[in-house]
Amino acid sequence: SQELEQSPQSLIVQEGKNLTINCTSSKTLYGLYWYKQKYGEGLIFLMMLQKGGEEKSHEKITAKLDEKKQQSSLHITASQPSHAGIYLCGAGPQYNNNDMRFGAGTRLTVKP
Amino acid sequence: DAGVTQSPTHLIKTRGQHVTLRCSPISGHKSVSWYQQVLGQGPQFIFQYYEKEERGRGNFPDRFSARQFPNYSSELNVNALLLGDSALYLCASSRRDGINSPLHFGNGTRLTVT
């Protein structure tokens, strides 16, 4: 099983500012997934990273995977109120991502 | 295409009762997983079913059971409810089994046990 630690636990930023959320695994990463969750709702899939050094972007959100450090980072450029929510990283065992372990999440607040 | 749908959205039960939660996966998805999310924590894996067979089980007591039907929909059953079972129960589907298939989640069923 994976143990994922996210930092920071919560983040308050002014609209327009950049921010970074980190996810560190205590075990080997075979794939890393980023999700966003609005309070009390389901998780929305953002990105999947599978190879060391891989970087993906979607609109103003960029995620990177550092396999050697067993870390991933999620960077938001020019944050907007619509970016507010809880960001969760998830990782599965080597052959099956359905037994996915999640970090506790980072709660992002964007002040207009 | 419709996403993962779960029913009911909210449920209030009394200790000792049982509950059945339902999930319909995205069309074409054959794998369904169930997760429990307690407030302030990430989701915890309960079960995974693929092609109607149980493929994985998390660290949950035998009071929790599930099944998948021929149309790939799924039910999660919890017997002898405890106060600690109060949580958001999330269903996720994926196109296939394996690491290259992201999970897509429903909006969950909020279960409150009193």
Side-chain angles (χ1 to χ4, degrees), chain A residues 5-99:
Chain A
E5 296 240 356
Q6 288 186 235
S7 62
Q9 290 184 333
S10 64
L11 196 52
I12 302 173
V13 299
Q14 202 68 37
E15 183 177 357
K17 295 294 186 183
N18 302 336
L19 63 107
T20 300
I21 297 168
N22 295 300
C23 174
T24 303
S25 175
S26 61
K27 300 193 176 185
T28 303
L29 281 171
Y30 298 103
L32 193 289
Y33 300 77
W34 283 100
Y35 288 86
K36 178 184 174 185
Q37 184 178 31
K38 297 234 168 164
Y39 179 74
E41 297 182 7
L43 281 64
I44 300 168
F45 171 68
L46 296 176
M47 276 172 276
M48 173 175 69
L49 303 167
Q50 291 188 284
K51 301 175 186 175
E54 186 172 17
E55 180 175 322
K56 286 188 177 177
S57 294
H58 176 67
E59 297 178 346
K60 294 186 177 179
I61 302 176
T62 301
K64 299 179 187 178
L65 178 62
D66 186 332
E67 244 177 14
K68 288 183 181 177
K69 292 183 180 178
Q70 295 175 177
Q71 285 180 343
S72 179
S73 60
L74 186 84
H75 184 78
I76 298 177
T77 305
S79 58
Q80 301 169 355
S82 61
H83 288 128
I86 300 170
Y87 289 83
L88 294 139
C89 62
Q94 186 170 3
Y95 301 108
N96 183 343
N97 74 338
N98 286 281
D99 179 7

Side-chain angles (χ1 to χ4, degrees), chain A residues 33 35 45 48 50 97-98 100, chain B residues 29 31 93-104:
Chain A
Y33 300 77
Y35 288 86
F45 171 68
M48 173 175 69
Q50 291 188 284
N97 74 338
N98 286 281
M100 194 177 291
Chain B
H29 285 197
S31 177
S93 73
S94 61
R95 189 171 295 278
R96 55 188 178 275
D97 206 10
I99 62 171
N100 295 319
S101 191
L103 299 182
H104 296 271

Side-chain angles (χ1 to χ4, degrees), chain B residues 3-109:
Chain B
V4 177
T5 56
Q6 292 187 241
S7 63
T9 55
H10 294 83
L11 206 50
I12 300 175
K13 290 285 190 178
T14 305
R15 275 179 298 177
Q17 288 186 315
H18 75 273
V19 68
T20 298
L21 311 181
R22 295 179 175 83
C23 171
S24 292
I26 292 172
S27 177
H29 285 197
K30 297 182 177 181
S31 177
V32 170
S33 301
W34 287 95
Y35 286 78
Q36 181 196 64
Q37 187 178 26
V38 174
L39 196 62
Q41 296 181 18
Q44 298 288 316
F45 173 70
I46 309 175
F47 283 110
Q48 185 223 341
Y49 278 79
Y50 179 72
E51 289 282 16
K52 301 178 287 295
E53 289 187 2
E54 182 181 306
R55 288 298 187 99
R57 184 183 185 114
N59 189 23
F60 280 80
D62 291 343
R63 298 185 296 108
F64 288 77
S65 64
R67 55 180 175 167
Q68 186 178 33
F69 299 99
N71 65 354
Y72 303 108
S73 66
S74 178
E75 281 183 354
L76 175 70
N77 294 284
V78 187
N79 293 325
L81 285 167
L82 303 174
L83 294 179
D85 294 331
S86 295
L88 181 67
Y89 287 85
L90 295 163
C91 174
S93 73
S94 61
R95 189 171 295 278
R96 55 188 178 275
D97 206 10
I99 62 171
N100 295 319
S101 191
L103 299 182
H104 296 271
F105 285 82
N107 279 331
T109 294

